[in-house]
Amino acid sequence: MLKIPSSGGNPMIRVDSPSDIVFVSDGDPILDGIRWQSGSTLPKVQRRPTTLEKWKALGDQQFREKQFLGAVLSYTEGIKLDATNTALLHNRAMAYLRLEFFSRALNDCRSALQLSGITDQDSVKALYRAGRALYGLGDWTGAKACFEDALKVNEAEKESRTWSAKCDARVREQETGDYEVVGIYRRSKSEGVRVDVADFVGNIEVASMKSRGGGRGVVATRELKAGELLVVAKPFASVFEEDFQGPKEMLMVFNLMTDTTDAKCHGYLISKITTMLFSDSSRADLIYHLYAGPSLDKPPSTYPPETNMTITTHQSSPLFNDQVAVDVSRIEGAASFNGFSPTPLSPVNTMEDDNRKDMDKLNSPSALYTFPSLFNHSCVPNCTQVFLGDVMMIRALQDIPEGTELTVSYGNDGNTYQKRIKHLKKWFNKCDCSLCEAERSDGAAANKTREEVLTKIKKAKQKPATRNSLQEAKRFVSQVQATYKGSTQSRLPRVALYTAHFHLGNQYRELGQNFELIEEHINAIKALGVKVIDESTSGPVRAGKKGKDLPIETDRAPSTPGNDEAVMTCLRLTAHFHRGLGDNVRAERWLRAARWIDNVRHGGGVALFTILYEEVLELWEISDFNRAVTS
């Protein structure tokens, strides 16, 4: 389509689907009678090679310069001259691997292996690259078979041996759900955000949900325990800020489907998925069977669809499947309504920086995860997701009965009702979760009062504590408490009340009133929905031996938001008891509570907890105490 710009300048060609692009080669009848103004050649354009050797040399140069698309085209021209040239098939397969066009790489390797008279050296190379292609497609068993076949030809082939061991690790992860969480976290920080692990789905399944009008959801197939690993998923496609080379650029994308302004990574994500499906349509239904918005057809009632990891070998285009029409609207809808922003897990920073948060939103990564997209939303979810690099892990936040729907939070952009519904408007006009129902019953005036008090607390935190500010902080607690008329259920998070109690506790801390600050911080953690079973500040502790039991119930961890807040409050209590009162028994119990809450959400045990909260532990002078308390 030829489009005229709205504000002057040159017209442009808009392509609504890659299926509309036709690659024309020399001698194509469509060019008969065409005469170019520049003559038979284009100015400043390198003359096309005419021999196989020159096409290979050009492709090799492009590959070294990381121009992988160009390399594929050059190798293809050489293959047209000699379809039995193993070097060209091998090299094009490697270029496809770099482009993550795994099915095409696999086909080239299989074509090479079918050639008569292929040498052992060429067989090893083809088997190795076929293994890499199958590995990229998630077929660990098939990949291992290729690597083992390569080793049968040449036992000294080190790379095949290394990748064969990787296949064993992926199969073990997929079958057992046993992951080295700390190792994955460390690799995501040292080797880049894209971490090599297998997908995993635990004791859950996709089901039709009557409560959601027959739409799909995910349910537990047996009783689940808090902290249990349910899903590990690599993205179908992802875009991170680090993927962009050269000078930093700021680009915002207005999404006409959701009426939202998206970060640049989301715009590039749609383009990346489109390219992937146009190159290899075998996995298209993984995207087309996702919800894509109210304006498009509803997806099937089951998921995942059956996939076929093969593509037509002989096509006119070496890059795209010209026999398939790619539904760009469906891709855009699936990415817009199911996309995640996989901000990788990082150590907790004790300093708030609103400007940094705004920049993080502009540069936030974007990714599409297929199976996790089937989880529905709740503002008080019973599951939570965390990202270790680009790896998503979903865990149960609480003990969950068999048959219960599993939910995650689609992101609470702010902790008040008004901010939540504004953020969630992209997906639905009304959230029917228990928290939203309760806060609606509190009334608009009550919700408005919370907003106003939270604004006052934010300003008050910037001032030093005085007797007057202490009285003001007490009034804040009373004012917020009075707004929770219909949402007084003890296990619902009341984040505004948490903020008020925590602020009052900090006022007591600055004025040196240790017992009062401890009481207020315990009240704060209760406001997050944590059931505290030992609120004592002195005297005998309630049950347990040597502090190894917890002062909180362990049937559920705080739901989003409230995970980091709950851990930080437990650590505050640890510091108060350890350093302020010299009560190491209670200090240990609250430290273990912090570890338990963090482990439910992230896994990784004490080792990951210590990494994530290292700065906090050092700042509050409880790092040595944390090391002394064994797991």
Side-chain angles (χ1 to χ4, degrees):
M1 179 187 297
L2 187 66
K3 290 201 66 178
I4 305 300
S6 58
S7 58
N10 297 320
M12 60 183 176
I13 296 176
R14 190 183 84 182
V15 179
D16 289 324
S17 172
S19 310
D20 298 332
I21 300 174
V22 177
F23 285 83
V24 179
S25 59
D26 288 346
D28 193 298
I30 200 173
L31 298 178
D32 289 348
I34 298 294
R35 297 292 181 267
W36 306 105
Q37 289 183 348
S38 58
S40 59
T41 60
L42 295 176
K44 299 182 180 179
V45 174
Q46 182 179 357
R47 187 175 294 275
R48 286 169 57 86
T50 56
T51 66
L52 181 151
E53 292 75 15
K54 289 182 179 180
W55 278 117
K56 181 179 180 301
L58 178 58
D60 292 347
Q61 177 185 342
Q62 291 167 323
F63 188 94
R64 289 191 297 270
E65 295 173 353
K66 298 184 178 180
Q67 298 176 15
F68 303 120
L69 282 170
V72 165
L73 292 171
S74 295
Y75 294 138
T76 299
E77 293 300 322
I79 290 170
K80 289 179 181 178
L81 299 175
D82 182 3
T84 65
N85 189 289
T86 54
L88 289 172
L89 288 170
H90 290 156
N91 290 4
R92 190 172 70 171
M94 198 64 198
Y96 280 142
L97 288 175
R98 294 297 181 90
L99 291 168
E100 298 184 2
F101 292 0
F102 298 118
S103 290
R104 290 179 177 270
L106 181 60
N107 280 339
D108 274 356
C109 294
R110 287 173 172 169
S111 295
L113 289 169
Q114 291 171 1
L115 295 174
S116 61
I118 186 172
T119 66
D120 286 352
Q121 182 179 358
D122 284 337
S123 292
V124 168
K125 189 175 291 187
L127 287 166
Y128 169 74
R129 293 179 184 179
R132 289 286 303 273
L134 288 165
Y135 192 97
L137 290 167
D139 182 358
W140 322 118
T141 303
K144 182 177 175 63
C146 287
F147 295 132
E148 291 299 313
D149 285 345
L151 289 169
K152 290 176 183 177
V153 179
N154 182 3
E155 293 182 358
E157 222 287 300
K158 295 181 179 179
E159 289 186 334
S160 290
R161 194 173 302 281
T162 298
W163 281 87
S164 179
K166 287 185 178 183
C167 291
D168 291 336
R170 300 295 83 80
V171 170
R172 184 167 57 252
E173 290 167 347
Q174 196 166 58
E175 291 179 349
T176 66
D178 185 14
Y179 291 80
E180 294 289 340
V181 176
V182 176
I184 294 172
Y185 173 83
R186 292 188 186 280
R187 297 206 310 272
S188 74
K189 299 303 180 184
S190 63
E191 300 174 8
V193 293
R194 292 183 172 86
V195 185
D196 184 17
V197 298
D199 286 3
F200 167 77
V201 176
N203 294 285
I204 61 178
E205 65 181 7
V206 176
S208 176
M209 309 302 300
K210 292 183 179 179
S211 61
R212 298 185 183 273
R216 299 173 301 188
V218 180
V219 298
T221 57
R222 66 160 172 77
E223 182 181 356
L224 305 173
K225 301 298 291 184
E228 185 171 340
L229 183 64
L230 306 178
V231 175
V232 177
K234 290 280 289 179
F236 183 90
S238 63
V239 180
F240 289 80
E241 180 67 22
E242 66 184 41
D243 295 333
F244 299 97
Q245 304 295 324
K248 298 290 183 181
E249 64 175 1
M250 183 178 295
L251 174 66
M252 301 302 293
V253 179
F254 186 74
N255 193 321
L256 295 175
M257 281 192 165
T258 59
D259 288 331
T260 57
T261 302
D262 299 326
K264 67 177 180 182
C265 287
H266 180 74
Y268 282 100
L269 176 68
I270 295 171
S271 175
K272 185 172 184 177
I273 296 171
T274 302
T275 302
M276 291 172 66
L277 295 189
F278 200 37
S279 164
D280 177 6
S281 61
S282 64
R283 297 191 294 165
D285 282 346
L286 290 171
I287 306 302
Y288 295 160
H289 287 202
L290 295 176
Y291 175 72
S295 63
L296 297 176
D297 293 339
K298 289 184 178 181
S301 59
T302 59
Y303 198 90
E306 293 184 2
T307 59
N308 176 14
M309 292 192 302
T310 62
I311 61 174
T312 304
T313 304
H314 302 292
Q315 299 174 33
S316 61
S317 169
L319 296 176
F320 303 122
N321 188 341
D322 48 24
Q323 301 175 12
V324 174
V326 174
D327 191 340
V328 177
S329 295
R330 192 89 201 177
I331 293 170
E332 184 178 2
S336 296
F337 288 96
N338 300 283
F340 289 83
S341 180
T343 302
L345 182 66
S346 295
V348 174
N349 189 334
T350 58
M351 301 298 292
E352 292 187 6
D353 186 342
D354 291 337
N355 291 331
R356 176 61 182 272
K357 288 180 180 178
D358 291 340
M359 286 303 298
D360 287 344
K361 288 182 180 180
L362 291 174
N363 299 323
S364 60
S366 187
L368 183 59
Y369 298 80
T370 52
F371 186 83
S373 295
L374 278 294
F375 281 75
N376 289 314
H377 165 82
S378 172
C379 297
V380 279
N382 52 18
C383 301
T384 187
Q385 71 268 26
V386 66
F387 298 96
L388 305 180
D390 69 336
V391 179
M392 179 194 290
M393 291 188 169
I394 299 178
R395 296 178 182 274
L397 274 174
Q398 59 192 56
D399 295 346
I400 301 173
E402 180 181 349
T404 302
E405 182 182 9
L406 306 179
T407 56
V408 297
S409 171
Y410 287 1
N412 291 309
D413 192 15
N415 54 33
T416 62
Y417 175 74
Q418 291 94 327
K419 291 181 180 178
R420 290 203 312 275
I421 60 174
K422 182 179 180 181
H423 173 73
L424 294 171
K425 197 172 182 179
K426 169 180 174 180
W427 293 279
F428 35 72
N429 291 323
K430 181 182 177 181
C431 177
D432 59 0
C433 76
S434 57
L435 180 61
C436 286
E437 291 284 3
E439 294 195 338
R440 274 194 293 271
S441 70
D442 291 334
N447 284 297
K448 182 179 179 181
T449 297
R450 287 176 208 153
E451 292 263 10
E452 293 170 347
V453 174
L454 287 173
T455 300
K456 293 176 181 178
I457 291 175
K458 188 174 182 179
K459 294 179 180 179
K461 288 194 298 184
Q462 309 303 319
K463 303 175 183 178
T466 64
R467 290 299 170 185
N468 288 337
S469 67
L470 178 64
Q471 295 306 313
E472 180 186 49
K474 290 180 179 179
R475 288 194 297 272
F476 290 155
V477 171
S478 297
Q479 291 168 356
V480 174
Q481 179 71 65
T483 67
Y484 287 100
K485 296 176 183 177
S487 55
T488 55
Q489 299 179 47
S490 62
R491 303 308 289 269
L492 280 178
R494 293 168 286 172
V495 182
L497 187 58
Y498 162 84
T499 303
H501 277 303
F502 196 82
H503 173 63
L504 178 55
N506 285 342
Q507 291 286 306
Y508 281 126
R509 176 177 58 83
E510 291 187 38
L511 295 173
Q513 297 178 236
N514 285 337
F515 287 104
E516 289 83 355
L517 81 86
I518 289 174
E519 289 175 355
E520 285 307 314
H521 282 173
I522 290 176
N523 286 334
I525 200 170
K526 288 165 61 179
L528 291 176
V530 177
K531 186 174 182 179
V532 179
I533 58 178
D534 184 6
E535 299 182 36
S536 66
T537 58
S538 61
V541 298
R542 180 179 172 181
K545 297 180 180 180
K546 297 181 181 181
K548 289 191 176 181
D549 58 326
L550 305 183
I552 63 174
E553 288 282 7
T554 56
D555 60 331
R556 67 170 69 180
S559 58
T560 304
N563 289 285
D564 287 340
E565 290 91 338
V567 173
M568 293 285 277
T569 306
C570 288
L571 290 179
R572 275 288 191 192
L573 290 166
T574 301
H576 298 327
F577 280 116
H578 173 61
R579 294 175 49 244
L581 301 178
D583 186 344
N584 286 343
V585 173
R586 286 182 174 80
E588 181 176 337
R589 285 159 62 86
W590 282 105
L591 174 62
R592 291 186 182 280
R595 289 175 175 177
W596 180 83
I597 294 171
D598 181 72
N599 191 57
V600 167
R601 185 184 184 193
H602 300 141
V606 177
L608 184 57
F609 167 83
T610 302
I611 293 171
L612 296 178
Y613 290 91
E614 180 180 13
E615 180 182 325
V616 177
L617 297 170
E618 290 286 349
L619 181 65
W620 294 346
E621 299 179 22
I622 52 175
S623 183
D624 290 341
F625 184 70
N626 178 61
R627 284 192 289 269
V629 176
T630 56
S631 59

